[in-house]
Amino acid sequence: MQISSATKQNTFADDVLRGLSATPKFLSSKYFYDDEGSRLFQQIMNLPEYYLTKAEFEIFSNQTGEIYESFTKQNETFNLIELGAGDGSKTSLLVDYFLKHNARFTYVPIDISAEALHFLTKKFKVQFPKLSIQTEQGDYFQTLKTFQRKNDKRKIVLFLGSNIGNFSQEQACNFFCQLRAAMNETDLLFVGFDLQKDPRTILRAYDDSQGVTAAFNLNLLTRINRELGANFNTQDFSHYAGYHPIEAAARSFLISRKSQTVRIESLEKSFEFAAWEPIFMEISQKYNLAMINELADASGFQVAKNFYDSRNFYTNSLWKII
Ligand code: AVJ
């Protein structure tokens, strides 16, 4: 997933410099997804502890018909737009059902990564030879606005996988306000939210027993080594995850196991780490219904319907414009 804005984009080097110069230090989770990071995230989605993907998949499998009916009543033509489509495995459940019910729509995946779009198109062309598909590469909001100008059909916008969790609540509000500005009166937004639940269940999802999440976090240091010429020794950092039940936020950190200096050649700078100093890596915000309603309201939307998995771990929330 990419956090993007309509204004000028910071580079990886800018963001690493800013984060490692700050107190406390931080790095952005949007940089987790290089090739190795994307592979590790696939592995996370298959972990027994990582319930999010399974819950959303359950909703899409068991309530496909209800979802379809809530999207369109009169079989009018629409664009099914997906922000940050990934491998499209959940969306393919919808697409399959829609095609079998003669829905008239074009699937429009939007992503920053041309490679991800290429991969997805190839897969969908084989799986769904009859599907009308139009990829749009670029920043979400910019791309949506341009799309809106050249296409007047109704838009149903998907933002799945609890990707919204990587934003603070304030960032999430800004994100939805910008989305709102690129949408019309009858358009719909379908968002995946991870819900509050037993804190132990949440913590296990971000601190798995096989250490895949640890490797996922540490991989960002390896990426900095490779792309910015740094000399992080990943053995000298350890992954630490926590869940704060009042803020309803899971957070992950890399902790410096000793006092050390790391050189980053392309920044022409060295960074000091005190023993046990943390780098804040990622937030995964959890929601309850009041928070979802408030967020919708604050960004110009209204919740039309929530779809839940059988354990009420997760919701796909359908929003209309107010
Ligand atoms: C892709 C943002 C939904 O926060 O649950 C998984 C990323 N990080 N394990 C999440 C992630 C650690 C994931 N999202």
Side-chain angles (χ1 to χ4, degrees), residues 100-112:
K100 283 180 181 144
H101 288 77
N102 301 315
R104 295 180 296 144
F105 70 104
T106 298
Y107 176 54
V108 186
I110 300 182
D111 208 291
I112 267 279

Side-chain angles (χ1 to χ4, degrees), residues 1 29 32-33 41 44-45 47 50 52 160-166 194 205-206 213 216-217 239 250 252 282-286 314:
M1 176 197 65
S29 59
F32 283 175
Y33 303 88
F41 183 59
I44 288 176
M45 290 193 290
L47 288 171
Y50 197 74
L52 290 83
L160 306 176
S162 181
N163 283 333
I164 195 65
N166 278 165
D194 192 21
Y206 295 93
T213 311
F216 183 57
N217 276 261
H239 168 250
S252 72
E282 183 178 41
I283 180 169
S284 297
Q285 181 68 51
K286 306 306 166 195
Y314 193 95

Side-chain angles (χ1 to χ4, degrees), residues 70-83:
S70 69
F71 281 2
T72 170
K73 299 245 150 47
Q74 289 104 21
N75 191 30
E76 77 257 70
T77 53
F78 62 93
N79 289 300
L80 186 67
I81 300 182
E82 181 160 23
L83 305 181

Side-chain angles (χ1 to χ4, degrees), residues 142-204:
Q142 223 40 54
T143 310
L144 258 185
K145 273 194 196 131
T146 327
F147 186 82
Q148 165 134 326
R149 256 177 259 125
K150 65 186 183 198
N151 194 312
D152 57 355
K153 285 193 203 93
R154 228 178 119 224
K155 294 190 290 304
I156 297 170
V157 181
L158 310 176
F159 190 54
L160 306 176
S162 181
N163 283 333
I164 195 65
N166 278 165
F167 297 87
S168 70
Q169 287 177 82
E170 191 194 328
Q171 288 171 328
C173 196
N174 286 333
F175 177 82
F176 287 129
C177 279
Q178 290 192 67
L179 257 188
R180 169 67 186 84
M183 291 173 71
N184 292 324
E185 292 304 293
T186 62
D187 294 346
L188 295 171
L189 177 59
F190 198 50
V191 191
F193 288 98
D194 192 21
L195 296 173
Q196 293 172 24
K197 61 184 64 62
D198 186 337
R200 282 164 281 243
T201 305
I202 295 173
L203 187 56
R204 275 197 292 271

Side-chain angles (χ1 to χ4, degrees), residues 221-241:
L221 302 187
T222 307
R223 181 177 184 181
I224 296 173
N225 284 348
R226 187 182 59 246
E227 294 184 20
L228 304 178
N231 63 352
F232 278 105
N233 188 345
T234 53
Q235 264 114 312
D236 293 330
F237 291 84
S238 67
H239 168 250
Y240 179 79

Side-chain angles (χ1 to χ4, degrees), residues 41 45 50-64 67 82 84-85 87-91 93-94 158-164 190-194 307-317:
F41 183 59
M45 290 193 290
Y50 197 74
Y51 58 83
L52 290 83
T53 315
K54 292 152 196 78
E56 193 170 58
F57 201 83
E58 185 198 316
I59 295 171
F60 276 50
S61 313
N62 295 349
Q63 298 172 69
T64 337
I67 294 172
E82 181 160 23
D87 72 349
S89 61
K90 282 156 286 188
T91 316
L93 291 170
L94 292 187
L158 310 176
F159 190 54
L160 306 176
S162 181
N163 283 333
I164 195 65
F190 198 50
V191 191
F193 288 98
D194 192 21
F307 298 84
Y308 302 93
D309 63 302
S310 55
R311 296 186 292 186
N312 287 327
F313 274 9
Y314 193 95
T315 188
N316 284 105
S317 190

